[in-house]
Amino acid sequence: MKLFTFKGGIHPPERKELAEDKEIEVFAAPKVVYIPLIQHIGSPLDPLVKVGDEVKVGQKIGDSKGFMSAPVHSSVSGKVLKIVKHPFPVNGYANSVIIENNGEDEWIESKAVDDYTKLSSEELLGIVRENGIVGLGGATFPTHIKLNPPKDKVIDTLVINGAECEPYLNADNRLMIEYGKEFVEGVKIILHILGIKKAVIGIEENKEEAIEKIQNLVANEDGIEVGVLKTKYPQGGEKQLIKALLDRVVPSKKLPSEVGVVVQNVGTAKAIYDAVVKGKPIVERVLTVSGLGVKTPKNLLVRIGTQFKEILESVGIDEEKTEKLIMGGPMMGLAQFTDEVPVIKGTSGILALTEKEMNSYESRSCISCGKCVSVCPMNLMPLMYAKLARFKEWGEMDRYNLMDCIECGSCQFICPSNRPLTEGIKIGKAKLRGMKRK
Ligand code: SF4
Ligand code: SF4
Protein backbone atom coordinates (compact mmCIF):
# COMPACT_ATOMS: atom_id res chain seq x y z
CA MET A 1 0.00 0.00 0.00
CA LYS A 2 1.29 3.43 -0.92
CA LEU A 3 1.82 5.60 2.16
CA PHE A 4 1.69 9.37 1.75
CA THR A 5 3.90 11.63 3.85
CA PHE A 6 6.00 14.82 4.02
CA LYS A 7 9.61 15.64 4.86
CA GLY A 8 10.55 16.08 8.54
CA GLY A 9 8.36 15.38 11.56
CA ILE A 10 8.74 13.10 14.56
CA HIS A 11 7.18 9.99 16.06
CA PRO A 12 6.34 10.63 19.71
CA PRO A 13 4.90 7.73 21.79
CA GLU A 14 1.35 7.36 20.43
CA ARG A 15 -0.44 6.30 23.62
CA LYS A 16 -3.61 5.97 21.52
CA GLU A 17 -4.09 2.46 22.95
CA LEU A 18 -5.37 3.94 26.22
CA ALA A 19 -8.71 4.77 24.56
CA GLU A 20 -8.69 3.77 20.89
CA ASP A 21 -10.99 0.76 21.25
CA LYS A 22 -13.43 2.49 23.58
CA GLU A 23 -16.74 3.19 21.89
CA ILE A 24 -18.07 6.73 22.20
CA GLU A 25 -20.16 7.01 25.38
CA VAL A 26 -22.79 9.68 25.84
CA PHE A 27 -21.86 11.80 28.86
CA ALA A 28 -24.98 12.84 30.77
CA ALA A 29 -25.85 16.53 30.43
CA PRO A 30 -24.65 18.31 33.60
CA LYS A 31 -26.88 20.25 36.01
CA VAL A 32 -25.23 23.53 34.98
CA VAL A 33 -23.42 24.45 31.75
CA TYR A 34 -20.92 27.30 31.27
CA ILE A 35 -21.02 28.45 27.64
CA PRO A 36 -18.32 30.96 26.63
CA LEU A 37 -19.38 33.72 24.24
CA ILE A 38 -16.32 33.10 22.13
CA GLN A 39 -15.55 29.63 20.79
CA HIS A 40 -13.95 30.54 17.48
CA ILE A 41 -11.09 32.58 16.05
CA GLY A 42 -12.55 36.08 15.63
CA SER A 43 -14.87 38.56 17.31
CA PRO A 44 -16.41 37.78 20.72
CA LEU A 45 -20.19 37.41 20.71
CA ASP A 46 -22.92 39.47 22.36
CA PRO A 47 -25.40 37.59 24.54
CA LEU A 48 -28.88 37.16 23.00
CA VAL A 49 -30.43 36.14 26.33
CA LYS A 50 -30.62 37.72 29.78
CA VAL A 51 -30.56 36.38 33.33
CA GLY A 52 -33.82 34.57 34.11
CA ASP A 53 -34.65 33.66 30.49
CA GLU A 54 -35.81 30.12 29.74
CA VAL A 55 -33.92 28.49 26.86
CA LYS A 56 -34.17 25.29 24.82
CA VAL A 57 -31.47 23.00 23.49
CA GLY A 58 -30.10 24.40 20.22
CA GLN A 59 -31.36 27.95 20.90
CA LYS A 60 -28.93 30.64 19.76
CA ILE A 61 -27.66 32.45 22.86
CA GLY A 62 -24.78 34.50 21.47
CA ASP A 63 -23.93 36.10 18.12
CA SER A 64 -21.95 38.95 16.58
CA LYS A 65 -22.21 41.15 13.51
CA GLY A 66 -18.41 40.81 13.16
CA PHE A 67 -17.37 39.18 9.88
CA MET A 68 -15.17 36.59 11.58
CA SER A 69 -17.61 34.97 14.01
CA ALA A 70 -19.88 31.96 14.57
CA PRO A 71 -22.83 31.93 17.00
CA VAL A 72 -23.13 29.70 20.09
CA HIS A 73 -26.22 27.75 21.20
CA SER A 74 -27.55 26.41 24.46
CA SER A 75 -26.59 22.78 25.04
CA VAL A 76 -29.38 22.17 27.60
CA SER A 77 -32.91 23.37 28.24
CA GLY A 78 -33.33 25.45 31.37
CA LYS A 79 -32.87 28.89 32.90
CA VAL A 80 -30.08 31.45 32.42
CA LEU A 81 -28.53 31.90 35.87
CA LYS A 82 -25.77 34.41 35.13
CA ILE A 83 -23.77 36.02 32.34
CA VAL A 84 -20.32 36.57 33.84
CA LYS A 85 -16.61 36.02 33.25
CA HIS A 86 -15.78 32.37 33.84
CA PRO A 87 -12.56 30.31 33.49
CA PHE A 88 -11.95 29.64 29.81
CA PRO A 89 -9.68 26.92 28.40
CA VAL A 90 -7.99 29.10 25.76
CA ASN A 91 -6.78 31.95 27.96
CA GLY A 92 -7.87 33.03 31.43
CA TYR A 93 -11.51 34.08 31.55
CA ALA A 94 -14.29 34.71 29.01
CA ASN A 95 -17.76 36.19 29.20
CA SER A 96 -20.00 33.12 29.57
CA VAL A 97 -23.70 32.27 29.75
CA ILE A 98 -24.36 30.02 32.75
CA ILE A 99 -27.49 27.90 32.36
CA GLU A 100 -29.22 25.64 34.86
CA ASN A 101 -30.40 22.44 33.19
CA ASN A 102 -34.09 21.63 33.85
CA GLY A 103 -33.52 18.03 32.76
CA GLU A 104 -36.30 18.19 30.14
CA ASP A 105 -34.01 18.24 27.07
CA GLU A 106 -36.53 20.35 25.13
CA TRP A 107 -35.20 21.17 21.66
CA ILE A 108 -35.90 24.13 19.42
CA GLU A 109 -37.89 23.33 16.30
CA SER A 110 -35.66 21.61 13.74
CA LYS A 111 -34.84 23.33 10.44
CA ALA A 112 -33.64 20.16 8.70
CA VAL A 113 -33.17 20.19 4.92
CA ASP A 114 -34.73 17.32 2.92
CA ASP A 115 -32.54 17.59 -0.17
CA TYR A 116 -29.43 19.73 0.17
CA THR A 117 -28.61 19.36 -3.55
CA LYS A 118 -31.51 21.72 -4.25
CA LEU A 119 -29.88 24.49 -2.19
CA SER A 120 -27.27 26.94 -3.46
CA SER A 121 -23.80 27.33 -1.93
CA GLU A 122 -24.88 30.63 -0.36
CA GLU A 123 -27.92 29.00 1.28
CA LEU A 124 -25.82 26.14 2.65
CA LEU A 125 -23.11 28.52 3.88
CA GLY A 126 -25.86 30.40 5.74
CA ILE A 127 -26.93 27.14 7.42
CA VAL A 128 -23.32 26.35 8.33
CA ARG A 129 -22.92 29.76 9.96
CA GLU A 130 -26.28 29.79 11.76
CA ASN A 131 -25.45 26.42 13.32
CA GLY A 132 -22.19 27.76 14.72
CA ILE A 133 -19.85 25.46 12.83
CA VAL A 134 -16.13 26.03 13.32
CA GLY A 135 -13.06 23.86 12.73
CA LEU A 136 -13.49 21.09 15.29
CA GLY A 137 -9.91 19.83 14.99
CA GLY A 138 -9.06 22.50 17.56
CA ALA A 139 -8.39 25.51 15.30
CA THR A 140 -12.01 26.80 15.57
CA PHE A 141 -11.81 28.89 12.40
CA PRO A 142 -15.40 29.78 11.29
CA THR A 143 -16.27 27.13 8.67
CA HIS A 144 -18.57 29.30 6.51
CA ILE A 145 -15.59 31.59 5.82
CA LYS A 146 -13.20 28.73 5.05
CA LEU A 147 -15.75 27.21 2.65
CA ASN A 148 -16.04 30.51 0.80
CA PRO A 149 -12.49 31.12 -0.52
CA PRO A 150 -11.61 34.28 -2.49
CA LYS A 151 -13.26 34.29 -5.93
CA ASP A 152 -9.90 34.61 -7.71
CA LYS A 153 -8.72 31.24 -6.31
CA VAL A 154 -9.78 28.19 -8.30
CA ILE A 155 -10.44 25.33 -5.90
CA ASP A 156 -10.30 21.81 -7.34
CA THR A 157 -9.75 19.55 -4.31
CA LEU A 158 -11.18 19.12 -0.84
CA VAL A 159 -8.74 17.54 1.62
CA ILE A 160 -10.23 15.99 4.74
CA ASN A 161 -7.96 15.82 7.74
CA GLY A 162 -8.50 12.44 9.35
CA ALA A 163 -4.86 12.15 10.40
CA GLU A 164 -5.41 12.87 14.10
CA CYS A 165 -1.64 12.77 14.55
CA GLU A 166 -1.51 14.07 18.14
CA PRO A 167 -0.75 11.30 20.69
CA TYR A 168 -3.64 10.08 22.93
CA LEU A 169 -6.49 11.56 20.83
CA ASN A 170 -9.07 9.23 19.27
CA ALA A 171 -12.11 11.47 18.72
CA ASP A 172 -11.84 11.65 14.91
CA ASN A 173 -10.87 7.97 14.69
CA ARG A 174 -13.97 6.91 16.65
CA LEU A 175 -16.18 9.31 14.67
CA MET A 176 -15.08 7.71 11.39
CA ILE A 177 -15.69 4.21 12.80
CA GLU A 178 -19.02 4.91 14.49
CA TYR A 179 -20.50 7.72 12.36
CA GLY A 180 -18.78 6.96 9.04
CA LYS A 181 -21.94 7.26 6.96
CA GLU A 182 -22.85 10.68 8.36
CA PHE A 183 -19.25 11.84 7.98
CA VAL A 184 -19.12 10.82 4.28
CA GLU A 185 -22.47 12.57 3.69
CA GLY A 186 -20.90 15.67 5.29
CA VAL A 187 -17.99 15.42 2.83
CA LYS A 188 -20.49 15.30 -0.05
CA ILE A 189 -22.29 18.41 1.26
CA ILE A 190 -18.95 20.27 1.41
CA LEU A 191 -18.18 19.25 -2.20
CA HIS A 192 -21.60 20.60 -3.22
CA ILE A 193 -20.91 23.90 -1.40
CA LEU A 194 -17.50 24.26 -3.09
CA GLY A 195 -18.92 23.19 -6.46
CA ILE A 196 -16.14 20.63 -6.99
CA LYS A 197 -16.00 16.86 -7.43
CA LYS A 198 -12.75 15.68 -5.82
CA ALA A 199 -12.09 14.89 -2.15
CA VAL A 200 -9.19 13.05 -0.55
CA ILE A 201 -9.65 11.82 3.02
CA GLY A 202 -6.22 11.51 4.68
CA ILE A 203 -6.10 8.91 7.48
CA GLU A 204 -2.93 7.74 9.28
CA GLU A 205 -2.09 4.07 8.85
CA ASN A 206 -2.42 3.37 12.59
CA LYS A 207 -6.23 3.73 12.24
CA GLU A 208 -6.84 0.47 10.37
CA GLU A 209 -10.50 0.09 11.32
CA ALA A 210 -11.35 3.65 10.24
CA ILE A 211 -9.47 3.24 6.95
CA GLU A 212 -11.38 0.05 6.13
CA LYS A 213 -14.71 1.54 7.11
CA ILE A 214 -14.31 4.73 5.09
CA GLN A 215 -12.80 2.93 2.09
CA ASN A 216 -15.90 0.72 1.98
CA LEU A 217 -18.23 3.69 2.32
CA VAL A 218 -16.61 5.66 -0.53
CA ALA A 219 -16.04 2.66 -2.83
CA ASN A 220 -18.98 3.71 -5.03
CA GLU A 221 -18.63 7.46 -4.59
CA ASP A 222 -17.16 9.15 -7.66
CA GLY A 223 -14.30 11.48 -6.82
CA ILE A 224 -13.95 10.65 -3.10
CA GLU A 225 -10.94 8.58 -2.08
CA VAL A 226 -8.94 7.67 1.00
CA GLY A 227 -5.21 8.49 1.13
CA VAL A 228 -3.41 6.41 3.75
CA LEU A 229 -0.81 8.51 5.53
CA LYS A 230 2.34 7.46 7.30
CA THR A 231 1.90 7.69 11.07
CA LYS A 232 3.97 10.72 11.89
CA TYR A 233 3.57 14.01 13.71
CA PRO A 234 2.50 16.69 12.53
CA GLN A 235 0.90 14.78 9.65
CA GLY A 236 -2.38 16.65 10.26
CA GLY A 237 -0.89 20.12 9.63
CA GLU A 238 -2.69 21.65 6.62
CA LYS A 239 0.45 22.29 4.61
CA GLN A 240 1.87 18.85 5.49
CA LEU A 241 -1.36 17.09 4.46
CA ILE A 242 -1.51 18.92 1.14
CA LYS A 243 2.13 18.11 0.37
CA ALA A 244 1.69 14.46 1.39
CA LEU A 245 -1.59 13.76 -0.40
CA LEU A 246 -1.38 16.02 -3.48
CA ASP A 247 2.32 16.87 -3.72
CA ARG A 248 1.46 20.58 -3.77
CA VAL A 249 3.45 23.15 -1.78
CA VAL A 250 1.56 26.00 -0.15
CA PRO A 251 3.92 29.00 -0.44
CA SER A 252 5.25 30.80 2.63
CA LYS A 253 2.62 33.04 4.31
CA LYS A 254 -0.13 31.78 1.94
CA LEU A 255 -3.28 29.69 2.49
CA PRO A 256 -4.22 26.30 0.95
CA SER A 257 -6.53 28.12 -1.52
CA GLU A 258 -3.35 29.36 -3.21
CA VAL A 259 -2.82 25.81 -4.53
CA GLY A 260 -6.51 25.07 -5.18
CA VAL A 261 -7.27 23.29 -1.92
CA VAL A 262 -9.68 23.62 1.00
CA VAL A 263 -8.96 21.53 4.12
CA GLN A 264 -11.61 20.43 6.61
CA ASN A 265 -11.48 18.19 9.67
CA VAL A 266 -13.48 14.94 10.14
CA GLY A 267 -15.54 16.32 13.04
CA THR A 268 -16.38 19.45 11.07
CA ALA A 269 -17.70 17.39 8.13
CA LYS A 270 -19.91 15.40 10.53
CA ALA A 271 -21.11 18.67 12.14
CA ILE A 272 -22.06 20.00 8.69
CA TYR A 273 -24.11 16.83 8.10
CA ASP A 274 -25.87 17.33 11.47
CA ALA A 275 -26.60 21.00 10.70
CA VAL A 276 -27.93 20.47 7.18
CA VAL A 277 -29.63 17.07 7.32
CA LYS A 278 -30.80 17.11 10.95
CA GLY A 279 -31.06 20.85 11.56
CA LYS A 280 -28.83 20.48 14.61
CA PRO A 281 -26.34 23.17 15.73
CA ILE A 282 -23.15 22.33 17.62
CA VAL A 283 -24.30 21.65 21.18
CA GLU A 284 -22.02 18.68 21.87
CA ARG A 285 -18.80 17.14 20.60
CA VAL A 286 -16.76 13.95 20.80
CA LEU A 287 -13.54 14.14 22.81
CA THR A 288 -10.96 11.80 24.30
CA VAL A 289 -10.23 11.92 28.01
CA SER A 290 -6.91 10.21 28.67
CA GLY A 291 -3.40 10.33 30.15
CA LEU A 292 -1.83 8.19 32.87
CA GLY A 293 -3.49 10.43 35.49
CA VAL A 294 -6.90 9.15 34.33
CA LYS A 295 -8.12 5.82 35.72
CA THR A 296 -10.46 4.83 32.84
CA PRO A 297 -9.60 6.69 29.62
CA LYS A 298 -12.65 7.09 27.34
CA ASN A 299 -14.11 8.69 24.25
CA LEU A 300 -17.14 10.73 25.19
CA LEU A 301 -19.91 12.71 23.53
CA VAL A 302 -20.12 15.73 25.81
CA ARG A 303 -22.42 18.78 25.92
CA ILE A 304 -20.64 22.08 25.23
CA GLY A 305 -20.25 23.93 28.53
CA THR A 306 -19.61 20.84 30.71
CA GLN A 307 -16.82 21.56 33.19
CA PHE A 308 -13.65 19.47 32.87
CA LYS A 309 -13.86 18.56 36.54
CA GLU A 310 -17.18 16.73 36.10
CA ILE A 311 -15.73 14.66 33.28
CA LEU A 312 -12.52 13.94 35.20
CA GLU A 313 -14.48 12.92 38.30
CA SER A 314 -16.53 10.46 36.23
CA VAL A 315 -13.49 8.74 34.67
CA GLY A 316 -11.47 8.88 37.92
CA ILE A 317 -8.47 11.17 38.19
CA ASP A 318 -5.40 10.48 40.30
CA GLU A 319 -4.82 13.95 41.75
CA GLU A 320 -1.50 12.94 43.36
CA LYS A 321 0.03 11.70 40.13
CA THR A 322 -1.39 14.32 37.75
CA GLU A 323 1.13 17.07 37.02
CA LYS A 324 -0.53 18.80 34.10
CA LEU A 325 -4.04 19.19 32.70
CA ILE A 326 -4.20 19.84 28.96
CA MET A 327 -6.97 20.65 26.51
CA GLY A 328 -6.16 19.00 23.16
CA GLY A 329 -3.10 16.87 22.44
CA PRO A 330 0.19 16.95 24.34
CA MET A 331 2.10 18.58 21.45
CA MET A 332 -0.09 21.56 20.58
CA GLY A 333 -2.68 21.49 23.38
CA LEU A 334 -3.18 24.17 26.00
CA ALA A 335 -2.18 23.71 29.66
CA GLN A 336 -5.03 24.54 32.07
CA PHE A 337 -4.81 26.50 35.30
CA THR A 338 -8.07 25.05 36.68
CA ASP A 339 -10.39 22.11 36.05
CA GLU A 340 -13.37 24.49 36.18
CA VAL A 341 -12.93 25.36 32.51
CA PRO A 342 -15.75 24.09 30.25
CA VAL A 343 -15.70 21.94 27.11
CA ILE A 344 -15.87 24.23 24.08
CA LYS A 345 -16.23 23.49 20.35
CA GLY A 346 -12.44 23.16 20.01
CA THR A 347 -11.98 20.60 22.83
CA SER A 348 -10.68 17.49 21.06
CA GLY A 349 -9.30 16.01 24.25
CA ILE A 350 -8.76 16.41 27.99
CA LEU A 351 -5.44 14.95 29.16
CA ALA A 352 -4.28 14.45 32.74
CA LEU A 353 -0.55 13.87 32.37
CA THR A 354 1.84 12.55 34.99
CA GLU A 355 5.50 13.52 35.40
CA LYS A 356 6.52 10.30 33.64
CA GLU A 357 4.71 11.44 30.48
CA MET A 358 6.01 14.99 30.46
CA ASN A 359 9.75 14.60 29.97
CA SER A 360 10.63 17.55 32.18
CA TYR A 361 14.43 17.77 32.19
CA GLU A 362 16.68 20.76 32.71
CA SER A 363 17.58 22.83 29.67
CA ARG A 364 21.25 22.81 28.58
CA SER A 365 23.29 24.69 25.96
CA CYS A 366 22.69 24.03 22.29
CA ILE A 367 25.20 21.49 20.94
CA SER A 368 24.47 22.42 17.31
CA CYS A 369 23.45 18.87 16.49
CA GLY A 370 20.96 20.06 13.83
CA LYS A 371 18.23 17.60 14.90
CA CYS A 372 15.67 20.39 15.28
CA VAL A 373 16.37 21.53 11.72
CA SER A 374 16.01 18.04 10.27
CA VAL A 375 12.59 17.40 11.88
CA CYS A 376 11.05 20.81 11.17
CA PRO A 377 8.17 20.18 8.75
CA MET A 378 8.32 23.81 7.60
CA ASN A 379 12.05 23.74 6.72
CA LEU A 380 12.89 26.37 9.34
CA MET A 381 15.94 26.92 11.60
CA PRO A 382 14.43 26.36 15.06
CA LEU A 383 17.80 26.51 16.87
CA MET A 384 18.01 30.23 16.10
CA TYR A 385 14.69 31.11 17.67
CA ALA A 386 15.47 30.51 21.35
CA LYS A 387 18.77 32.36 20.95
CA LEU A 388 17.26 35.36 19.14
CA ALA A 389 14.30 35.54 21.54
CA ARG A 390 16.76 35.72 24.46
CA PHE A 391 18.34 38.83 22.91
CA LYS A 392 14.94 40.26 21.83
CA GLU A 393 16.01 40.21 18.17
CA TRP A 394 12.42 40.07 16.87
CA GLY A 395 13.24 41.51 13.42
CA GLU A 396 15.97 38.92 12.99
CA MET A 397 13.49 36.14 13.91
CA ASP A 398 11.25 37.39 11.11
CA ARG A 399 14.19 37.09 8.72
CA TYR A 400 14.33 33.40 9.69
CA ASN A 401 10.64 33.12 8.60
CA LEU A 402 9.33 32.73 12.14
CA MET A 403 5.73 33.38 11.05
CA ASP A 404 5.79 30.20 8.92
CA CYS A 405 6.22 28.13 12.09
CA ILE A 406 3.08 26.08 12.80
CA GLU A 407 4.05 25.70 16.50
CA CYS A 408 4.02 21.92 16.20
CA GLY A 409 6.72 21.50 18.88
CA SER A 410 8.63 18.81 16.93
CA CYS A 411 11.90 20.75 17.33
CA GLN A 412 11.58 20.97 21.09
CA PHE A 413 10.55 17.32 21.35
CA ILE A 414 13.67 16.13 19.53
CA CYS A 415 16.19 18.53 21.11
CA PRO A 416 18.72 16.56 23.21
CA SER A 417 19.53 19.72 25.18
CA ASN A 418 15.85 20.35 25.97
CA ARG A 419 16.08 23.91 24.66
CA PRO A 420 12.88 25.98 25.22
CA LEU A 421 12.40 26.40 21.47
CA THR A 422 8.61 26.70 21.30
CA GLU A 423 8.53 29.21 24.16
CA GLY A 424 10.92 31.49 22.22
CA ILE A 425 8.82 30.96 19.09
CA LYS A 426 5.54 31.90 20.78
CA ILE A 427 7.05 35.03 22.39
CA GLY A 428 8.68 36.04 19.10
CA LYS A 429 5.44 35.62 17.15
CA ALA A 430 3.47 37.69 19.66
CA LYS A 431 6.10 40.47 19.50
CA LEU A 432 6.16 40.44 15.70
CA ARG A 433 2.36 40.58 15.47
CA GLY A 434 2.46 43.57 17.86
CA MET A 435 5.17 45.30 15.76
CA LYS A 436 3.20 44.73 12.54
CA ARG A 437 0.01 46.17 14.07
CA LYS A 438 1.78 49.48 14.93
S1 SF4 B 1 10.16 25.62 14.19
FE1 SF4 B 1 7.94 25.55 14.33
S2 SF4 B 1 7.27 24.32 12.61
FE2 SF4 B 1 9.46 23.92 12.90
S3 SF4 B 1 9.53 22.12 14.25
FE3 SF4 B 1 9.65 23.91 15.57
S4 SF4 B 1 7.55 24.31 16.17
FE4 SF4 B 1 7.45 22.93 14.37
S1 SF4 C 1 18.21 20.12 18.49
FE1 SF4 C 1 18.65 21.39 20.27
S2 SF4 C 1 20.83 21.07 20.62
FE2 SF4 C 1 20.40 20.34 18.53
S3 SF4 C 1 20.78 22.15 17.20
FE3 SF4 C 1 18.62 22.18 17.72
S4 SF4 C 1 18.52 23.51 19.54
FE4 SF4 C 1 20.64 22.89 19.33
Side-chain angles (χ1 to χ4, degrees):
M1 183 177 17
K2 179 173 180 191
L3 288 182
F4 297 92
T5 194
F6 65 97
K7 185 178 149 285
I10 53 172
H11 196 157
E14 290 178 30
R15 301 200 200 272
K16 301 262 190 194
E17 69 286 354
L18 295 172
E20 74 187 328
D21 294 327
K22 310 272 180 69
E23 283 184 19
I24 299 167
E25 279 178 36
V26 178
F27 189 79
K31 289 203 171 74
V32 177
V33 288
Y34 303 76
I35 302 183
L37 286 166
I38 176 142
Q39 297 190 45
H40 57 273
I41 290 177
S43 327
L45 309 175
D46 299 316
L48 301 177
V49 288
K50 54 184 189 319
V51 173
D53 281 359
E54 297 285 341
V55 293
K56 292 185 175 176
V57 190
Q59 182 176 329
K60 198 157 80 166
I61 57 170
D63 205 348
S64 161
K65 290 201 169 63
F67 167 71
M68 184 81 97
S69 65
V72 293
H73 304 77
S74 180
S75 58
V76 294
S77 58
K79 189 190 257 183
V80 176
L81 292 180
K82 288 183 201 165
I83 302 174
V84 288
K85 295 235 179 274
H86 184 80
F88 179 54
V90 178
N91 53 2
Y93 292 80
N95 214 17
S96 306
V97 181
I98 302 173
I99 304 168
E100 185 179 36
N101 183 0
N102 63 13
E104 302 290 326
D105 228 17
E106 292 168 286
W107 271 81
I108 48 156
E109 207 176 306
S110 164
K111 289 187 193 143
V113 170
D114 288 336
D115 182 358
Y116 71 85
T117 61
K118 295 209 171 104
L119 298 192
S120 67
S121 296
E122 288 68 30
E123 287 168 317
L124 287 165
L125 287 173
I127 292 174
V128 168
R129 187 194 184 277
E130 274 308 290
N131 286 287
I133 298 174
V134 298
L136 295 187
T140 66
F141 192 91
T143 303
H144 64 285
I145 298 176
K146 210 169 175 190
L147 291 183
N148 192 15
K151 297 289 172 241
D152 61 327
K153 308 289 177 215
V154 179
I155 304 298
D156 59 34
T157 310
L158 168 67
V159 166
I160 297 287
N161 180 5
E164 201 167 45
C165 60
E166 276 264 14
Y168 297 89
L169 304 185
N170 290 294
D172 289 347
N173 181 34
R174 292 308 316 177
L175 258 184
M176 287 188 282
I177 294 168
E178 297 178 46
Y179 294 92
K181 227 169 146 191
E182 294 88 340
F183 157 62
V184 172
E185 281 304 307
V187 172
K188 286 160 68 179
I189 298 172
I190 300 174
L191 286 174
H192 181 71
I193 292 174
L194 293 169
I196 60 171
K197 300 207 176 316
K198 183 179 173 192
V200 187
I201 302 167
I203 310 176
E204 281 191 340
E205 65 173 325
N206 61 355
K207 300 170 186 65
E208 286 170 21
E209 199 180 343
I211 291 170
E212 197 186 333
K213 171 105 194 191
I214 303 302
Q215 273 175 337
N216 287 336
L217 283 168
V218 302
N220 297 317
E221 298 287 352
D222 274 349
I224 306 180
E225 58 188 64
V226 173
V228 181
L229 299 157
K230 194 168 170 190
T231 303
K232 188 163 81 168
Y233 176 86
Q235 189 69 83
E238 284 195 345
K239 293 186 176 182
Q240 287 65 45
L241 264 183
I242 294 169
K243 173 70 181 126
L245 294 169
L246 306 174
D247 198 22
R248 298 183 195 175
V249 178
V250 181
S252 171
K253 301 186 179 75
K254 297 286 182 193
L255 297 171
S257 60
E258 198 67 24
V259 293
V261 181
V262 165
V263 182
Q264 288 292 332
N265 161 267
V266 164
T268 315
K270 159 74 167 51
I272 288 173
Y273 166 85
D274 286 341
V276 175
V277 178
K278 293 189 176 165
K280 196 174 159 190
I282 298 188
V283 296
E284 58 193 4
R285 69 153 296 147
V286 177
L287 56 86
T288 301
V289 53
S290 190
L292 295 182
V294 165
K295 291 183 184 141
T296 46
K298 287 182 177 180
N299 300 298
L300 299 170
L301 180 65
V302 182
R303 303 281 176 124
I304 301 294
T306 307
Q307 285 187 315
F308 282 19
K309 67 177 178 188
E310 295 197 35
I311 299 167
L312 290 166
E313 272 163 23
S314 84
V315 294
I317 178 164
D318 190 330
E319 306 263 3
E320 298 257 298
K321 270 175 43 189
T322 300
E323 290 280 325
K324 202 171 185 181
L325 188 60
I326 291 178
M327 179 177 87
M331 302 299 293
M332 292 181 83
L334 300 168
Q336 301 299 314
F337 69 100
T338 168
D339 60 3
E340 288 179 11
V341 291
V343 167
I344 58 172
K345 295 174 190 176
T347 309
S348 52
I350 300 173
L351 304 182
L353 301 184
T354 62
E355 198 182 347
K356 191 173 152 197
E357 296 164 282
M358 284 181 358
N359 248 351
S360 43
Y361 305 110
E362 232 171 79
S363 174
R364 297 179 300 276
S365 304
C366 172
I367 54 168
S368 299
C369 65
K371 286 188 175 172
C372 56
V373 179
S374 63
V375 299
C376 178
M378 297 303 293
N379 295 318
L380 302 172
M381 297 274 284
L383 75 165
M384 299 306 295
Y385 297 144
K387 201 187 283 179
L388 292 168
R390 216 172 117 220
F391 295 107
K392 300 192 168 69
E393 297 274 7
W394 319 123
E396 201 58 12
M397 289 175 94
D398 201 19
R399 231 170 49 81
Y400 281 96
N401 292 324
L402 177 73
M403 297 315 268
D404 279 346
C405 167
I406 57 169
E407 298 181 29
C408 68
S410 299
C411 50
Q412 184 157 314
F413 178 85
I414 206 78
C415 176
S417 295
N418 205 32
R419 305 286 301 148
L421 300 172
T422 45
E423 191 185 305
I425 286 166
K426 284 182 183 169
I427 295 171
K429 279 181 144 185
K431 294 284 180 193
L432 277 173
R433 278 194 204 103
M435 281 162 64
K436 283 176 184 170
R437 268 199 298 270
K438 277 183 194 159

